[in-house]
Amino acid sequence: MRARETSDAQNRAKTEFLSSVSHELRTPMNAILGFGRLLEQKSTQLSPEKVSNFANHIVRSGQHLLNLIGDVLELSKIESGHANFTIEDVVAPPLIAECVDLLKEKAYEVKVALIDNSDADLPPLATDRGRFRQIMLNLLSNAVKYNRPGGTVTVASRVLNDGVHNTGMVRISVADTGKGIALDRQGQIFEPFNRLGRESSEIEGTGIGLHLTKRLIEQLGGAIGFESVPAKGSTFWVDFPTGVAARGDAKRDASPQADADGNFTVLYIEDNPLHRLLMEEVFADLTSARLTTANDAESGIEMAVALKPALILMDIDLPGMSGFEARARLAESRETSSIPVVALTAGAPDFDMQQGLAAGFADYLTKPFDIERLIGVIARFTSAPRA
Ligand code: ADP
């Protein structure tokens, strides 16, 4: 019954979404067809100003429609779990500078100054480079669009800590001196197609950008939030997990090393013998990486303490203690907390990503795993080149 309730709720949400999409697509279409017909039927009677005016409406509505289609397609990819993410160590400041640069012209047109105060020494993020740009461009373009002439947009960044510890997250914020968001509208800001009453304003938009951004950042293991004071301005922030290099740095004393022969040990915790065999075959092709296997989480943890492997590959669906629990145990012990653990799962990609990164896995691979990607991950953590 619970499954049915969930599925009913999902169907209702889908129907509502589709009806919003169709409404949003029809509105600009109405302008395109309406003004197009007028031009077709009355072109000889219309003044040149009117002709140019109508043509302008058609082009602007067409452009709006194109943006909308792009956003909806992107959203449907993300919602269906078909969006591709490549998580790698991303050095953010140059990318932020690039995004700021892309918006310079637009900001100049509306007399808004862009200030990049991001910290050049920010630790690398564990994220998707393209998605990072997409998220930054969305926040920056909103901060410019909903600003005022003579206003500013300031980007800042900092490592988040809970007062004592580094939380492994970095916060990037975009502050503007614009119109702000009415208090009674703030709860609706991440709703798709909701433009918070700016539907008929001169400022172009689809109302999907922030919804999309929230979905993206959550799938990337991060979060988004904002503070806004009407007529004063808003600050939007996004939190990203930091990269493996950064985490390794923080715990340098325990960082795994090659053994005396220059070999890196990789421990694979997996109950399925066929999967273990397959992994052994993959390792036969690698130089300076040695595979050791364990067939349950308990013995895997013991081996991790004894062997101090450079990397642990962890199956999630283990009998008894699950991979998630085993990862938590490894993180609790000083002896094993700095060993990167990569999850190998058979679950849905987006589910794993969110849960996996939140649970502190350094990366994850879904089964059936792509061997090239697997080798890439092993090489990243052990610097073991391919034979
Ligand atoms: P769009 O800009 O396409 O309308 P978004 O999803 O990016 O859509 O934003 C939704 C709404 O939130 C906007 O229409 C606007 O009313 C409000 N908003 C977003 N960013 C800001 C901002 N920096 N300052 C004021 N209002 C904002």
Side-chain angles (χ1 to χ4, degrees), residues 92-114:
L95 277 183
I96 296 176
E98 210 181 294
C99 295
V100 166
D101 217 48
L102 275 174
L103 281 163
K104 274 232 161 89
E105 212 175 293
K106 175 117 197 167
Y108 181 77
E109 276 170 24
V110 292
K111 301 191 173 58
V112 167
L114 287 170

Side-chain angles (χ1 to χ4, degrees), residues 94-258:
L95 277 183
I96 296 176
E98 210 181 294
C99 295
V100 166
D101 217 48
L102 275 174
L103 281 163
K104 274 232 161 89
E105 212 175 293
K106 175 117 197 167
Y108 181 77
E109 276 170 24
V110 292
K111 301 191 173 58
V112 167
L114 287 170
I115 303 161
D116 181 0
N117 278 345
S118 59
D119 179 1
D121 296 327
L122 208 61
L125 313 177
T127 197
D128 180 294
R129 184 176 292 276
R131 305 303 183 168
F132 177 81
R133 280 170 106 249
Q134 198 179 350
I135 290 170
M136 287 314 299
L137 283 174
N138 186 280
L139 295 186
L140 284 165
S141 80
N142 277 351
V144 170
K145 277 198 304 188
Y146 302 108
N147 219 306
R148 59 175 168 79
T152 56
V153 172
T154 312
V155 187
S157 64
R158 67 188 169 96
V159 174
L160 288 181
N161 59 49
D162 57 12
V164 186
H165 300 103
N166 175 343
T167 58
M169 301 296 280
V170 156
R171 174 164 296 183
I172 297 173
S173 56
V174 177
D176 66 59
T177 55
K179 305 175 183 1
I181 299 147
L183 294 179
D184 60 338
R185 292 281 200 169
Q186 292 192 359
Q188 304 161 9
I189 195 144
F190 295 111
E191 288 173 5
F193 303 113
N194 199 333
R195 298 204 61 210
L196 312 183
R198 299 220 164 91
E199 288 72 12
S200 50
S201 79
E202 277 294 293
I203 305 170
E204 282 173 18
T206 57
I208 273 193
L210 281 177
H211 176 73
L212 201 61
T213 301
K214 186 166 176 356
R215 297 298 306 237
L216 276 175
I217 186 74
E218 284 172 356
Q219 294 206 11
L220 289 167
I224 183 170
F226 68 98
E227 278 167 7
S228 183
V229 181
K232 281 226 144 68
S234 319
T235 300
F236 281 80
W237 51 259
V238 269
D239 292 346
F240 289 90
T242 50
V244 180
R247 274 181 239 150
D249 261 350
K251 297 169 181 165
R252 200 191 308 273
D253 53 328
S255 72
Q257 298 291 333

Side-chain angles (χ1 to χ4, degrees), residues 268 270-272 275 315-316 344-347 365-369:
Y268 182 29
E270 169 66 76
D271 60 313
N272 183 315
H275 291 176
D315 179 36
I316 291 298
L344 293 183
T345 85
L365 294 159
T366 37
K367 290 178 191 167
F369 44 73

Side-chain angles (χ1 to χ4, degrees), residues 278-350:
L278 179 61
M279 191 65 82
E280 274 156 21
E281 285 304 315
V282 171
F283 271 75
D285 257 5
L286 300 175
T287 57
S288 70
R290 195 168 32 209
L291 183 71
T292 311
T293 59
N295 50 19
D296 60 48
E298 287 82 355
S299 57
I301 292 171
E302 275 170 29
M303 285 169 83
V305 172
L307 297 172
K308 304 264 179 330
L311 171 68
I312 298 175
L313 300 171
M314 173 93 76
D315 179 36
I316 291 298
D317 303 313
L318 290 165
M321 190 193 298
S322 78
F324 277 113
E325 203 183 328
R327 159 73 197 129
R329 296 261 180 107
L330 289 166
E332 278 163 16
S333 155
R334 271 196 47 162
E335 286 171 303
T336 50
S337 64
S338 65
I339 304 172
V341 185
V342 170
L344 293 183
T345 85
D350 54 346

